[in-house]
Amino acid sequence: MKLTKSTKVVIIGGGFGGLAAAALLSSCGLSVHLLERNASLGGRARVWSKDGFRFDMGPSWYLMPDVFEHFFHLCGEDVDDILPTKRLSPSYRVYLAGNDTPVDMYSDTVRDGATLDQICPGSSQSLASYIRTSKSHYDRSLRSFIARNADTFFHYMTLATMRDGWGLPVLVSMEKHLSKWFKNDTVRRFLAYQTLFLGNAPKETPGVFSAMNYVDFAMGVHYPEGGIGAIVNAMEKLITNAGGEISTTADVVSINVDGRTARSVTLADGRTIDADVLVANADIHHVETRLLPTRSQSLAPPYWSNKRPAPSAAILYLGITGDAPKLKHHTLLFPDDWDLSFSELFNGHSLPTDPSIYISCPSMSDESVAPAGHTNLFILMPCPTGLEWTTDLKNQCSERLFSILEASFGIENVRDRVVVQRFYCGEDFTNDYCAWLGNALGGQAHTLTQSSFMRPPARSRKVKNLYYVGAGTNPGIGMPMCLLSAEMLVKRLFRTGGPGLLNQLPRL
Ligand SMILES: Cc1cc2nc3c(=O)[nH]c(=O)nc-3n(C[C@H](O)[C@H](O)[C@H](O)COP(=O)(O)OP(=O)(O)OC[C@H]3O[C@@H](n4cnc5c(N)ncnc54)[C@H](O)[C@@H]3O)c2cc1C
């Protein structure tokens, strides 16, 4: 299709993927209309505010600042102007189960190496060379694999790509890859926990995702002024400034297909909106199995039966009086039985007995998220998908999270100090975002067979003007990846560029 300024692009979903696509495509000069079913934008990265507390409901780790900088640059903005960030120090704190002494990590290989030496002497030397190798994995992956539209293995068959791919640990697991460098179990956990960000276990995540270790240990963990919600607001502004239209409480209930072309979408209120190009940011499972007519589904229900979703999560958002001195902005609790914890998460059918725990406490760095003298935090426990969240289970889980706050993080009398509280679980992910089996991260876990060209494709095979963006397709899970998925859509629509990032946007 020849794109012109009057080509109507309709985007289903205002999560990170949809917002990024709308910002880029409207900046290119296309006529963009974004439809979001919820009353506010951001999807899993929405904001919830109550009684002076402001919670980023989902993502809290601003990683890969290079990708954000590049995205805003493409839209003609300097990220430092539009979204000033600070680098957190420490980046995060870790508690090891049964041990009250915290371990602080600074995204500084020298300082963190010295910390890991205290756990196992000699770790610092391995860390330095390991992170150098991870940097090479990061650079090569970004250049040849991540920022590329590859629908089949054969798209990688170029000399430059094969050179970049040579020696990348694709066929070994993160766990095996790490064990070549680090002999100590505990030390390895500091480099393996990041696979949870990819919705997977270290045993089943390809070793090439060691690129994440470079991101964590060298690039640092940042915090945008105003929190993650500020990124959503910045993207909204980009869209409207470029002439794009945004409708919230616009719940798409069907995609209307004529032959092999999507012509329009129908909303729950009965309105029909015409489209020349349709971009879906909602979970691909929902789009393929609920919004498309059966004959137009290229990923029909049987496809999903043997796919592994990223895990779900139970989250307790709390505004409390006083402080929580044992926490940092990001605090993790590593489980005692590492293998059991992952096996319960991916194979279990009930609340995990020995879970990993994450606490986000942005009031440590940002006084605007809580009234003076108060703490804003959420505690998150990864959970298996598909649980039946009865009232009993919700109460049981929420009580457990309160107990963990007291026992493992020293937040005394936390129940009595609550000012605002909200419990959120798999059922909410499904009801709010139409999430497949209540998964928290936006799609399939990053196993070997669910990554790269084996992930759901970014284009429907049966409807020629239907494209996908967001965590469900390539490159995958996480805010930076969603931004890149939108850039890959631009490359696809404008038939521009092979591997690598765009230098500038094509403009009509
Ligand atoms: C608790 C939590 C912590 C996380 N932590 C991090 C982190 O620290 N760093 C990081 O980078 N990532 C993190 N992630 C992952 C990251 O948030 C997601 O990968 C990313 O936000 C997914 O964005 P998306 O655009 O693919 O999907 P979504 O955010 O789900 O957006 C899809 C949108 O489509 C809308 N929609 C669905 N169906 C319809 C319909 N029929 N009509 C109209 N609209 C529809 C939904 O309401 C939603 O707004 C976290 C996620 C969670 C939940």
Side-chain angles (χ1 to χ4, degrees):
M1 175 196 307
K2 181 158 169 38
L3 299 174
T4 67
K5 285 187 174 178
S6 51
T7 302
K8 276 185 268 174
V9 180
V10 169
I11 299 179
I12 307 172
F16 249 77
L19 288 166
L24 292 174
L25 295 177
S26 50
S27 300
C28 291
L30 290 159
S31 160
V32 172
H33 190 174
L34 182 147
L35 306 168
E36 164 55 47
R37 73 194 300 270
N38 288 305
S40 60
L41 295 171
R44 286 160 163 100
R46 268 188 311 160
V47 167
W48 174 59
S49 300
K50 193 168 183 207
D51 298 343
F53 293 90
R54 193 182 70 240
F55 297 89
D56 283 320
M57 292 187 72
S60 50
W61 297 61
Y62 182 100
L63 299 169
M64 300 175 74
D66 55 336
V67 172
F68 286 91
E69 184 187 334
H70 170 73
F71 171 79
F72 283 105
H73 172 72
L74 280 184
C75 297
E77 298 286 349
D78 183 334
V79 73
D80 294 331
D81 296 337
I82 198 166
L83 201 69
T85 61
K86 60 178 159 200
R87 186 171 169 147
L88 299 180
S89 180
S91 295
Y92 53 94
R93 167 167 281 188
V94 176
Y95 286 95
L96 304 169
N99 188 337
D100 278 348
T101 312
V103 183
D104 289 342
M105 304 303 284
Y106 288 85
S107 305
D108 170 336
T109 40
V110 175
R111 195 165 180 182
D112 296 336
T115 304
L116 296 181
D117 273 344
Q118 286 170 15
I119 299 171
C120 175
S123 302
S124 53
Q125 272 176 330
S126 310
L127 184 70
S129 53
Y130 176 80
I131 296 299
R132 272 197 300 279
T133 307
S134 302
K135 177 180 180 349
S136 152
H137 294 172
Y138 181 82
D139 293 340
R140 288 150 67 196
S141 300
L142 192 58
R143 189 166 54 220
S144 281
F145 300 96
I146 296 177
R148 168 183 216 139
N149 285 310
D151 297 331
T152 75
F153 180 70
F154 297 104
H155 287 142
Y156 295 135
M157 291 288 164
T158 72
L159 208 56
T161 304
M162 287 195 280
R163 203 180 304 123
D164 270 345
W166 187 254
L168 284 179
V170 175
L171 298 176
V172 291
S173 70
M174 258 312 265
E175 183 163 285
K176 274 218 169 104
H177 177 63
L178 282 168
S179 63
K180 285 189 205 145
W181 298 79
F182 303 97
K183 298 297 165 215
N184 180 281
D185 262 1
T186 307
V187 169
R188 273 205 302 275
R189 290 179 188 187
F190 282 83
L191 293 123
Y193 82 88
Q194 294 86 348
T195 63
L196 263 182
F197 293 172
L198 302 163
N200 206 10
K203 266 191 181 152
E204 285 158 278
T205 306
V208 66
F209 283 103
S210 64
M212 292 277 291
N213 293 131
Y214 168 67
V215 169
D216 173 347
F217 277 78
M219 287 183 160
V221 181
H222 301 250
Y223 181 76
E225 210 170 85
I228 300 299
I231 316 177
V232 172
N233 294 342
M235 289 201 280
E236 178 180 6
K237 221 185 225 170
L238 288 176
I239 298 164
T240 48
N241 286 350
E245 187 181 350
I246 296 175
S247 302
T248 49
T249 53
D251 188 8
V252 174
V253 290
S254 67
I255 297 174
N256 307 314
V257 183
D258 176 8
R260 294 194 63 229
T261 308
R263 299 285 182 204
S264 63
V265 296
T266 302
L267 303 185
D269 61 13
R271 276 182 296 157
T272 295
I273 297 183
D274 294 339
D276 299 315
V277 172
L278 197 57
V279 177
N281 168 226
D283 278 28
I284 298 181
H285 173 268
H286 179 70
V287 179
E288 283 282 346
T289 65
R290 305 279 157 79
L291 301 186
L292 281 169
T294 310
R295 63 178 162 27
S296 306
Q297 299 171 352
S298 36
L299 305 176
Y303 163 87
W304 298 91
S305 62
N306 64 353
K307 298 293 173 207
R308 172 191 280 190
S312 186
I315 310 171
L316 187 59
Y317 302 92
L318 292 176
I320 60 172
T321 55
D323 57 5
K326 290 195 166 181
L327 299 181
K328 293 292 179 192
H329 187 128
H330 300 294
T331 307
L332 298 156
L333 170 66
F334 288 175
D336 186 27
D337 189 334
W338 192 251
D339 288 339
L340 173 71
S341 130
F342 282 106
S343 128
E344 286 187 331
L345 187 55
F346 293 106
N347 308 317
H349 303 287
S350 54
L351 293 183
T353 56
D354 189 9
S356 304
I357 294 289
Y358 164 60
I359 299 182
S360 169
C361 185
S363 49
M364 291 284 172
S365 325
D366 180 352
E367 57 187 31
S368 73
V369 298
H374 291 73
T375 296
N376 169 321
L377 67 87
F378 74 65
I379 174 166
L380 180 153
M381 174 163 77
C383 292
T385 48
L387 295 186
E388 194 192 332
W389 284 97
T390 59
T391 308
D392 264 4
L393 188 65
K394 288 180 195 172
N395 290 339
Q396 190 192 328
C397 186
S398 145
E399 273 312 297
R400 183 132 160 246
L401 293 173
F402 273 122
S403 302
I404 293 174
L405 284 171
E406 285 182 338
S408 303
F409 300 99
I411 307 181
E412 289 168 3
N413 304 319
V414 61
R415 291 174 181 80
D416 300 335
R417 293 164 55 189
V418 170
V419 181
V420 302
Q421 163 178 355
R422 180 171 178 184
F423 180 76
Y424 202 88
C425 61
E427 176 185 277
D428 300 298
F429 283 107
T430 298
N431 291 341
D432 290 347
Y433 313 122
C434 308
W436 172 43
L437 290 172
N439 85 86
L441 302 179
Q444 301 184 5
H446 276 282
T447 61
L448 175 63
T449 54
Q450 296 182 174
S451 295
S452 186
F453 65 93
M454 289 176 280
R455 214 165 168 72
R459 182 176 195 173
S460 160
R461 295 198 181 100
K462 291 204 175 161
V463 182
K464 61 184 187 339
N465 59 341
L466 171 60
Y467 301 86
Y468 293 107
V469 287
T473 183
N474 265 310
I477 288 169
M479 298 182 287
M481 297 299 120
C482 291
L483 300 184
L484 291 174
S485 80
E487 186 173 338
M488 294 312 107
L489 171 68
V490 171
K491 284 169 66 165
R492 201 181 276 275
L493 285 177
F494 284 86
R495 298 170 201 274
T496 164
L501 299 170
L502 287 170
N503 290 326
Q504 57 181 36
L505 282 183
R507 293 189 196 260
L508 292 169

